[in-house]
Amino acid sequence: DGGITQSPKYLFRKEGQNVTLSCEQNLNHDAMYWYRQDPGQGLRLIYYSQIVNDFQKGDIAEGYSVSREKKESFPLTVTSAQKNPTAFYLCASSYNSKREKLFFGSGTQLSVL
Amino acid sequence: ELKVEQNPLFLSMQEGKNYTIYCNYSTTSDRLYWYRQDPGKSLESLFVLLSNGAVKQEGRLMASLDTKARLSTLHITAAVHDLSATYFCAVAGETSGSRLTFGEGTQLTVNP
């Protein structure tokens, strides 16, 4: 079945540590996105990529980094510079960047130890 | 900057009742989405509204779009407990491609 796979489902970060969240899709979508969701709030865009080897900052990119070396994969690294990383992270993809419907993964809950 | 506001943010209703969730947005857009999220889960697409006057219905939910008023509504008819979830609207500005701006969400609880 086609879809978006995020892993791990739960992740714990120690202070000063970088952690990487995985996002893989087999939908043959060009565009991929990372959103952050805090409790009781909507989603905020961290980074997005419209094509392989290219990505742009979203609204809250500070303290995060991404790469897009393959069409299927768009990992997100939460660096030690992100002082408040506890949140639910959602990866999404769309066929292209020209206003197509987003498909979401199942999410990763990141917590700080 | 595109802003999206939903109201109410919390809604508790009895089974069998009707209610409407409102989504206002601040700049021109021709594409609006409604999503459902169950606790701890991902977002499920409900409706895509593409033009002024668009109306979509699925079961007990009906969504509409008025681009002139920059307003979308999600109407719930004869609510049932299974509809309990958080509902988000999301808007793509005319020049923002698939970059969606989300509302804060409306947490709906349907009580027996």
Side-chain angles (χ1 to χ4, degrees), chain A residues 6 9 31 33 35 37 40-45 48 57-59 88 90-91 94 96-107, chain B residues 10 30-31 33 35 37 40-45 47-48 50 86 88 92-105 107:
Chain A
Q6 288 188 242
K9 188 171 175 65
Y33 311 80
Y35 285 90
Q37 185 178 28
Q41 297 188 30
L43 279 66
R44 293 182 290 168
L45 183 64
Y48 65 105
K57 293 181 179 180
D59 300 318
F88 189 52
L90 284 159
C91 178
S94 62
N96 58 42
S97 62
K98 298 193 188 312
R99 301 183 286 178
E100 295 292 336
K101 184 173 75 172
L102 295 184
F103 293 81
F104 284 87
S106 57
Chain B
F10 299 94
D30 60 359
R31 188 167 293 241
Y33 302 80
Y35 288 90
Q37 185 180 39
K41 304 292 186 183
S42 187
L43 274 71
E44 172 193 356
S45 177
F47 300 109
V48 181
L50 302 179
T86 299
F88 292 95
E94 285 191 330
T95 59
S96 63
S98 278
R99 287 191 57 169
L100 298 184
T101 299
F102 283 78
E104 291 181 310
Q107 186 175 320

